[in-house]
Amino acid sequence: QSLDSVVHTRTGTRPGEVHADMLFNLLMARIDRHLESQLSQLDLLHAPPAPDNHSTIGSSDPASRASPVTWVDDKTFVIVSPTAVELPARVAMYIQVVFDVFLTFALRLN
């Protein structure tokens, strides 16, 4: 964090490396907090209610949030949208936030 340049790696951790998953998850926990803050500011963690009002994803209930998920050394992102027409714009905004947050940690996604 707070580095002036992107870190370029040539290889990942070796298979079976004892601390690799722990280190990955410690870093991802910090990144997740930043991601959640940025995505929340842009209202990208909840989909607005669908026009037909039948959307369960559009709920403002915190249990319905579509937060990023980390499992061992994998990262997933759930992008929600009230309509298919609005999805491309939401995907573009979401991806930009993800790239920007990772860059603040001197990580560049490939």
Side-chain angles (χ1 to χ4, degrees), residues 53-85:
N53 292 320
H54 289 100
S55 173
T56 56
I57 295 175
S59 168
S60 61
D61 176 6
S64 73
R65 288 177 32 170
S67 297
V69 176
T70 302
W71 174 252
V72 187
D73 64 352
D74 294 319
K75 190 84 187 142
T76 62
F77 301 98
V78 179
I79 304 173
V80 294
S81 180
T83 66
V85 171

Side-chain angles (χ1 to χ4, degrees), residues 35-36 39 42-46 66-69 75-80 87-101:
L35 273 174
E36 196 158 330
L39 293 169
L42 294 172
D43 199 27
L44 292 173
L45 292 180
H46 293 95
S67 297
V69 176
K75 190 84 187 142
T76 62
F77 301 98
V78 179
I79 304 173
V80 294
L87 184 59
R90 291 177 73 84
V91 168
M93 289 190 320
Y94 200 108
I95 290 171
Q96 187 62 57
V97 169
V98 170
F99 270 81
D100 291 346
V101 168

Side-chain angles (χ1 to χ4, degrees), residues 1-74:
Q1 186 175 355
S2 302
L3 296 176
D4 293 334
S5 63
V6 173
V7 175
H8 294 277
T9 59
R10 303 238 186 277
T11 62
T13 57
R14 291 178 303 201
E17 176 64 44
V18 176
H19 301 293
D21 292 338
M22 178 185 66
L23 292 173
F24 176 85
N25 280 291
L26 287 172
L27 177 60
M28 283 302 114
R30 293 192 75 185
I31 290 173
D32 280 345
R33 285 192 297 276
H34 287 271
L35 273 174
E36 196 158 330
S37 172
Q38 296 296 312
L39 293 169
S40 182
Q41 287 178 18
L42 294 172
D43 199 27
L44 292 173
L45 292 180
H46 293 95
D52 61 7
N53 292 320
H54 289 100
S55 173
T56 56
I57 295 175
S59 168
S60 61
D61 176 6
S64 73
R65 288 177 32 170
S67 297
V69 176
T70 302
W71 174 252
V72 187
D73 64 352
D74 294 319

